[in-house]
Amino acid sequence: MANNTKSGIDPFASIKTIKKDFEDNKYTPREYLESCVERFGKLDKNLGSALEVFDVDSIVSASSQTGSLAGIPGLVKDNICQKGRIASCGSKMLENYVAPYDATVSSRVKKAGAFLLGRGNCDEFAMGSSNETSAFQKTANPWDLSRVPGGSSGGPAAAVAAGLVPWGFGTETGGSVRQPAAFCGIVGIKPTYGLVSRYGVVAYGSSLDQVGVFSRTVYDNALVFSSIAGHDKRDSTSAQNVQSIDYTQDLSGKIPAGLTIGVIDNALEAEGIDPQIRVLLDDALAVYEKLGAKIKRISLPTMDYGAAVYFMLSRAEAASNLARFDGVRYGFRAPDVENLTELYEKTRGLGFGQEVKRRILIGNYVLSAGHADEYCESAKKVRGMMRQEFVDAFKDVDVLFAPVTPMTAFKFGAFDDNRLQMDLQDYFTAPVNLVGVPAIAVPCGFTQENLPTAFQLIGADFSEKLLYQVAHAYEQATPWHTMRPESFK
Amino acid sequence: MSKKNIIEHQELVNLARLSRIAMSDEELRQLRPQIESVLEYASCLAGVSDEHKPGTMPKNSNVFRDDQAISTDPAPLMKEGPDVQDDYFVVPTIVKKEQ
């Protein structure tokens, strides 16, 4: 199946298999990389997942080529710096900005031998849930090209799901890895805040942002994650005293004895969940029961306010973070201006797209005198309550279970007239970012329209190893990770 | 929509100025209902604090390091500048000369 390259390379092979094939001299890392580049050339015209695929020699020479990811190509979301490459953030503002240094995550995977193959499309400055706000191109969903791949990390997610590349980097502020992972039927992790360095990642909401990993299997995800997790002195929000560990270690296909899964009832029963998704979530829980898990229904009432809190705090932080794009030191500069104020205003007026402007305006509104108490201060208070509620929940259960999205991938333009509905894509995901705990999206089947969906497992701080183990057990008991989108087989 | 969430057009004009973004009246008119709907949605937060027990986020602590000068070649950074002369970024007039 799918051996459509001349050297017999399976484009959907897992990293584990590719590494074995390298060892067995079935093909070389360079041949594998060339086959990926060739597939991008052939198939990405319809998909639009990459903003750029680099030339093979430059990819190889930027990598150490030895280590746990030796010769394994990945696609990096375009808001993560790769030295000497453009980092556009999907924005006209940084269309020609060449990163003068590597983000820590980029340098760590290169050091582990990975090949960074290109730049993945994303919503402008990671603001969006569909990749439609990218200033450059649309990215389609590999399962149905008339639908979005999700966002904001839609490019890398689509590429991984289409078998163009085995893994990708995304970033999350309110769900931008887990939501596209669910829409594309792949695995996506949002780590504990502070476990992965944000150095070299273009900031959106600094108290929320984290880099995440996409892959087709849980093992592959844990393998890539092992190379990036850990303290970084260059990021002062990086967690102290975190040891580098091998996250693939406990992936036995079994769950820990006595595992209790807390099902977030108010999420599962939330209004507006597609009934087909609801059935698939119940099926997933049945699989966990068979695996020996205890299921406990719990309620986290403040989670229902998560989206509202997220809208306020992320926009406020965005307004502050994006103030740096002023046309003076780097990036786009508007022509024909007479004074400095006009330079700022015209540069930002022409350089930013509408979604970014909307979020900056909302951010400055809720930060301004007269509104800060009503919106920002109350949002911060509710965030604290939410944190407490999650911390308390983990006294009774080991992991939490919830939907990732209320719906499967939607058609392009579906929310053009209702931006709030688009924003509410973050409803089940944003609380996790606000609270700071880790979560992993795990594919759990397909609707009648053959569109994938996922559940998320949420863990206590720094419980990634457990999340991988519990996710892996489900994956091994189900066939979803072996499915391939028809147009890319 | 409750009345307090309605933003006057002039308020949006001021907001765009505060944000240092040049936006046409047409653009602001388009954004207005979108901004209002988000604020309306978030207006539920003000009442929440009384209903639930309070909690806190993990305490942040400052991360200090010794202030050490690192010699860095400014050339790659200066190359990013849209308008550069020697080692300076060129900007238009900041303060108008008095006539």
Side-chain angles (χ1 to χ4, degrees):
Chain A
M1 186 159 58
N3 289 343
N4 60 351
T5 57
K6 46 189 169 192
S7 45
I9 294 169
D10 175 3
F12 286 87
S14 68
I15 298 178
K16 205 178 190 178
T17 305
I18 299 164
K19 283 175 72 165
K20 174 112 195 354
D21 289 350
F22 287 164
E23 266 172 40
D24 296 346
N25 293 317
K26 281 196 183 160
Y27 44 86
T28 65
R30 195 181 172 97
E31 280 168 344
Y32 182 76
L33 175 64
E34 280 167 352
S35 81
C36 288
V37 170
E38 202 183 302
R39 257 175 85 79
F40 267 101
K42 228 190 294 176
L43 299 170
D44 206 37
K45 280 177 228 116
N46 295 331
L47 194 64
S49 68
L51 290 168
E52 185 183 356
V53 174
F54 311 134
D55 78 273
V56 168
D57 285 339
S58 72
I59 298 169
V60 173
S61 65
S63 165
S64 78
Q65 301 176 55
T66 55
S68 60
L69 297 173
I72 308 295
L75 187 67
V76 176
K77 185 179 181 180
D78 208 27
N79 62 348
I80 299 174
C81 289
Q82 307 180 57
K83 191 176 179 181
R85 313 289 196 190
I86 287 171
S88 77
C89 294
S91 178
K92 290 264 173 225
M93 188 64 95
L94 294 177
E95 189 171 6
N96 300 310
Y97 172 73
V98 177
Y101 64 99
D102 263 327
T104 295
V105 290
S106 302
S107 63
R108 284 191 178 170
V109 287
K110 284 184 192 172
K111 208 175 150 201
F115 290 151
L116 297 187
L117 171 147
R119 304 187 286 118
N121 193 28
C122 59
D123 281 300
E124 185 176 6
F125 284 104
M127 298 179 186
S129 304
S130 64
N131 262 37
E132 290 170 295
T133 74
S134 166
F136 304 115
Q137 65 195 39
K138 278 184 182 173
T139 299
N141 189 306
W143 295 94
D144 178 346
L145 296 175
S146 70
R147 292 173 191 271
V148 304
S152 62
S153 317
V160 170
L164 302 186
V165 72
W167 66 272
F169 275 150
T171 62
E172 271 220 14
T173 305
S176 286
V177 169
R178 284 164 290 154
Q179 186 253 19
F183 277 14
C184 292
I186 57 171
V187 180
I189 192 159
K190 196 294 280 187
T192 306
Y193 184 79
L195 182 54
V196 175
S197 170
R198 296 184 299 117
Y199 177 76
V201 180
V202 179
Y204 162 16
S206 302
S207 77
L208 304 153
D209 296 342
Q210 273 290 282
V211 175
V213 178
F214 292 113
S215 63
R216 291 187 291 269
T217 68
V218 174
Y219 177 93
D220 288 0
N221 207 288
L223 184 71
V224 177
F225 191 70
S226 300
S227 71
I228 59 166
H231 180 70
D232 178 19
K233 64 175 187 208
R234 285 172 157 153
D235 174 0
S236 53
T237 62
S238 173
Q240 309 281 332
N241 306 321
V242 186
Q243 304 297 320
S244 289
I245 52 171
D246 178 1
Y247 289 88
T248 64
Q249 232 170 31
D250 294 334
L251 306 185
S252 59
K254 290 187 184 127
I255 56 168
L259 181 90
T260 305
I261 297 177
V263 177
I264 307 176
D265 246 350
N266 50 311
L268 227 62
E269 305 296 339
E271 242 178 78
I273 289 199
D274 179 339
Q276 288 195 66
I277 292 184
R278 181 59 211 268
V279 170
L280 293 167
L281 294 172
D282 286 339
D283 290 350
L285 284 172
V287 171
Y288 272 122
E289 274 187 303
K290 256 195 192 158
L291 287 165
K294 250 189 281 169
I295 308 288
K296 190 172 174 184
R297 304 258 159 189
I298 63 161
S299 168
L300 299 176
T302 56
M303 192 176 168
D304 297 344
Y305 297 100
V309 173
Y310 171 69
F311 293 162
M312 296 299 97
L313 298 182
S314 65
R315 275 57 168 171
E317 292 183 25
S320 166
N321 270 325
L322 272 65
R324 73 193 60 176
F325 301 106
D326 56 7
V328 174
R329 294 150 299 148
Y330 52 85
F332 171 74
R333 173 183 285 200
D336 309 322
V337 292
E338 296 204 336
N339 57 52
L340 192 63
T341 305
E342 209 185 323
L343 170 78
Y344 295 151
E345 291 182 344
K346 281 198 173 165
T347 294
R348 292 161 64 79
L350 294 168
F352 289 140
Q354 211 193 45
E355 182 62 28
V356 174
K357 292 178 191 172
R358 185 172 78 103
R359 295 198 188 193
I360 293 175
L361 257 52
I362 293 172
N364 278 327
Y365 182 85
V366 301
L367 282 171
S368 56
H371 306 296
D373 276 349
E374 182 185 355
Y375 294 108
C376 275
E377 287 309 313
S378 51
K380 274 158 69 182
K381 257 191 230 164
V382 180
R383 183 184 193 177
M385 294 174 201
M386 207 180 300
R387 165 84 190 173
Q388 196 57 52
E389 219 170 69
F390 273 75
V391 169
D392 289 346
F394 288 120
K395 289 174 190 159
D396 292 331
V397 302
D398 300 301
V399 294
L400 292 164
F401 177 100
V404 178
T405 57
M407 60 178 72
T408 50
F410 46 85
K411 298 258 185 193
F412 287 105
F415 294 115
D416 283 357
D417 297 328
N418 193 344
R419 299 298 308 179
L420 182 63
Q421 279 308 314
M422 172 80 93
D423 291 346
L424 286 170
Q425 283 294 315
D426 300 325
Y427 191 87
F428 299 122
T429 48
V432 170
N433 303 75
L434 290 164
V435 168
V437 294
I440 187 167
V442 185
C444 67
F446 293 79
T447 59
Q448 282 157 15
E449 299 81 23
N450 201 35
L451 294 171
T453 190
F455 60 82
Q456 59 176 328
L457 296 170
I458 306 165
D461 291 338
F462 305 108
S463 66
E464 280 81 353
K465 212 169 170 208
L466 175 67
L467 289 184
Y468 278 128
Q469 187 185 359
V470 179
H472 181 255
Y474 173 84
E475 177 194 73
Q476 294 304 301
T478 51
W480 315 124
H481 63 291
T482 64
M483 306 292 189
R484 300 165 180 209
E486 197 59 45
S487 335
F488 297 89
K489 273 184 179 169
Chain B
M1 174 164 306
S2 63
K3 209 171 171 194
K4 68 182 175 112
N5 289 305
I6 292 172
I7 304 180
E8 299 296 332
H9 184 74
Q10 189 54 44
E11 207 174 348
L12 272 185
V13 172
N14 297 343
L15 206 53
R17 238 183 110 202
L18 177 73
S19 307
R20 292 276 187 260
I21 303 178
M23 291 173 81
S24 66
D25 278 349
E26 180 50 34
E27 215 177 341
L28 289 174
R29 257 191 288 277
Q30 264 182 19
L31 281 184
R32 189 169 147 187
Q34 299 175 14
I35 294 176
E36 285 174 343
S37 65
V38 170
L39 294 174
E40 171 70 13
Y41 183 82
S43 62
C44 62
L45 293 173
V48 185
S49 46
D50 309 327
E51 294 172 26
H52 299 275
K53 73 171 179 181
T56 49
M57 290 301 289
K59 268 240 163 76
N60 292 323
S61 52
N62 282 322
V63 177
F64 296 106
R65 61 174 180 269
D66 291 334
D67 215 0
Q68 282 174 327
I70 309 165
S71 126
T72 314
D73 178 13
L77 296 177
M78 295 309 293
K79 233 171 72 183
E80 302 285 348
D83 192 356
V84 172
Q85 235 173 57
D86 304 322
D87 267 354
Y88 295 93
F89 296 111
V90 181
V91 293
T93 319
I94 298 173
V95 183
K96 260 191 196 161
K97 273 186 198 155
E98 276 185 45
Q99 296 294 317

